Amino acid sequence: MPVRSKNNFLIFGSPRIEQDEIDEVVASMEAGWLGTGPKVAKFESDFATYLGSGHAAACNSCTAALHLGLVALGLKPGDEVITTPLTFCASVNAIIHAGCTPVLADVDPVSMNIDPESIRAKITKRTKAILPVHFAGRACDMDAIMSIATEHDLKVVEDCAHAIETTYKGQHVGTFGNFGCFSFYVTKNVCTGEGGMVMANSEEDIKHVKILGLHGMSADAWKRFSDDGYKHYQVVEAGFKYNMMDIQAAIGIHQLKRVEEYHVRRRHVWDMYMDAFKALPIGLPAPEEPDTRHALHLFTILIDPDSCGVERDEFLIRMTHENIGVGVHYLSIPEQPYYRERFGWTLEDTPHAVRLGRQTVSLPLSAKLTDQDVLDVIQAVKKSLAIS
Ligand SMILES: *Cc1c(COP(=O)(O)O)cnc(C)c1O
């Protein structure tokens, strides 16, 4: 008998949606304002208020946000951007689509975040930017990264897809670099279905991002030629169609109000896992670094076949047979054929990321989980390790 029945499959990353979101979406539809409007403006200002500094531009995904941030840096073909191999493909694809060359630095095996020493080792004359990812919600070593950036005159675009609640020395991540990019994809800590946000310290930069994200159209550019009547727009560069809809913002406004409440709930789930797993032969997340706050986006365990007696992929199959949804974040980037073929990356270049990618399993960590759901996951983990 599996731990859960098939019709009660525990979906990985299922979002917690409440009545306020539903009512707000319905109100948008009844008002007939579906596209970018007042709710997007409110979501941007609420988000900037939550982070405590910076200017916000909403868009339709974090992938779009990363692309916009990188394009807005004005990098040229052949410019190199250093990022981590333990990330979602979108981080690397955004670099490629901005016309630049991605370069991988290895991760620290304990924090699983990009290792500043490895960044240093990858800097060349062509390096122009660093794209750190606050993996699982754990803050990267921003003092080290920002001082490398200053020393070598590099830009920084932070991938904060996991890191809405993350702080480093009291400051929210996503406000250190030139741009911080957030995701509101269904599985993320605040969700709008699809959605993203670019944060910038400079108001000029965020204006530029907003123009780039909407076809390159500027209303301001025309203003000086017109009185207060009809305003033409001017296309000032070749932009993209990346704007967020009010229907998405309608969800986000209410999700954001509960971001701290949900964090408390995930802390409880996290502590239940840590307590239940401390005597098992699996790898567990390292404690938070001092003076940082973890967003608790992913709870990742490591299945080393030598100590666990089961291969990671077999473990994934067993968990699924127990009707528990699991994730892999991530098979390292050099495992993906496209990048290997295009950039000639080998698995030996970034050994820590490759090993972690082959051992990691993400367990459900949604604020929607009940205590019983968590107990089911724990039981399924023990069963899949043949301990219980
Ligand atoms: C989810 C995710 C993205 C992409 O976010 P979307 O909003 O789905 O485009 C980028 N980077 C990381 C690390 C992610 O987890």
Side-chain angles (χ1 to χ4, degrees):
M1 276 285 283
V3 169
R4 286 168 80 102
S5 63
K6 203 166 190 93
N7 59 15
N8 195 25
F9 189 95
L10 188 67
I11 295 166
F12 179 86
S14 185
R16 183 161 148 190
I17 301 293
E18 300 190 29
Q19 195 59 41
D20 288 340
E21 287 91 306
I22 296 168
D23 293 344
E24 192 78 46
V25 168
V26 170
S28 287
M29 301 201 62
E30 283 172 349
W33 198 313
L34 311 183
T36 306
K39 287 180 188 174
V40 169
K42 176 170 167 50
F43 188 42
E44 288 172 342
S45 92
D46 289 357
F47 197 78
T49 302
Y50 175 71
L51 293 191
S53 75
H55 306 276
C59 55
N60 58 17
S61 72
C62 180
T63 305
L66 290 165
H67 189 203
L68 290 173
L70 286 161
V71 170
L73 292 180
L75 304 180
K76 288 184 290 303
D79 287 351
E80 294 176 356
V81 180
I82 298 177
T83 192
T84 167
L86 201 62
T87 187
F88 187 50
C89 57
S91 318
V92 177
N93 291 344
I95 296 171
I96 296 170
H97 291 309
C100 302
T101 304
V103 172
L104 301 179
D106 205 359
V107 296
D108 175 278
V110 175
S111 71
M112 307 192 194
N113 273 329
I114 194 164
D115 178 354
E117 285 316 307
S118 182
I119 295 176
R120 277 185 196 285
K122 296 297 174 104
I123 290 175
T124 71
K125 285 196 299 293
R126 292 177 300 278
T127 308
K128 290 290 151 56
I130 309 171
L131 195 154
V133 178
H134 303 284
F135 179 78
R138 182 185 302 273
C140 289
D141 185 347
M142 291 315 291
D143 279 350
I145 290 170
M146 295 312 292
S147 61
I148 293 171
T150 308
E151 261 171 62
H152 296 270
D153 195 20
L154 308 176
K155 309 282 189 190
V156 175
V157 176
E158 296 172 72
D159 183 335
C160 305
H162 302 171
I164 293 170
E165 306 95 321
T166 305
T167 61
Y168 179 86
K169 300 194 174 171
Q171 182 181 342
H172 268 274
V173 301
T175 65
F176 286 84
N178 300 78
F179 296 105
C181 302
F182 292 83
S183 176
F184 310 117
Y185 179 63
V186 267
T187 60
K188 303 290 159 81
N189 290 359
V190 165
C191 83
T192 62
E194 299 284 358
M197 193 76 80
V198 183
M199 292 300 300
N201 288 319
S202 135
E203 205 174 344
E204 282 300 296
D205 282 344
I206 215 69
K207 276 188 184 156
H208 187 194
V209 161
K210 285 189 177 183
I211 290 170
L212 270 175
L214 198 63
H215 306 293
M217 297 187 326
S218 169
D220 294 351
W222 192 261
K223 254 182 206 155
R224 55 206 143 126
F225 302 116
S226 109
D227 42 34
D228 282 327
Y230 182 85
K231 284 192 176 55
H232 290 280
Y233 61 81
Q234 284 199 319
V235 176
V236 294
E237 58 192 310
F240 306 92
K241 182 64 164 71
Y242 282 165
N243 54 309
M244 178 182 274
M245 300 168 71
D246 260 25
I247 292 186
Q248 295 167 302
I251 305 170
I253 288 165
H254 294 285
Q255 285 270 305
L256 187 61
K257 283 184 190 157
R258 283 187 236 104
V259 63
E260 290 299 316
E261 181 192 330
Y262 287 2
H263 189 270
V264 169
R265 178 63 202 161
R266 290 196 313 281
R267 169 63 70 192
H268 176 77
V269 174
W270 184 285
D271 290 344
M272 283 177 76
Y273 285 150
M274 289 302 271
D275 194 47
F277 297 150
K278 58 178 186 260
L280 301 188
I282 58 179
L284 293 174
E288 282 167 66
E289 288 73 8
D291 212 1
T292 68
R293 183 186 197 216
H294 198 300
L296 312 179
H297 175 58
L298 296 172
F299 188 93
T300 60
I301 61 174
L302 295 175
I303 304 294
D304 178 348
D306 292 340
S307 43
C308 296
V310 56
E311 297 282 338
R312 191 275 306 274
D313 285 2
E314 171 61 21
F315 181 86
L316 296 170
I317 292 167
R318 289 185 191 173
M319 289 295 285
T320 311
H321 284 164
E322 299 301 332
N323 293 314
I324 303 290
V326 282
V328 172
H329 302 88
Y330 300 90
L331 260 185
S332 65
I333 291 290
E335 302 257 17
Q336 303 297 347
Y338 177 80
Y339 308 115
R340 265 209 317 276
E341 282 160 30
R342 178 158 171 186
F343 301 108
W345 292 335
T346 70
L347 303 179
E348 291 75 41
D349 292 339
T350 52
H352 294 309
V354 169
R355 178 185 60 83
L356 293 167
R358 289 180 176 189
Q359 294 185 350
T360 190
V361 176
S362 300
L363 301 179
L365 185 63
S366 164
K368 193 177 175 180
L369 298 177
T370 64
D371 281 7
Q372 187 56 54
D373 292 336
V374 180
L375 293 172
D376 289 348
V377 176
I378 291 167
Q379 199 194 334
V381 167
K382 291 180 176 171
K383 247 181 106 176
S384 300
L385 292 169
I387 301 164
S388 65

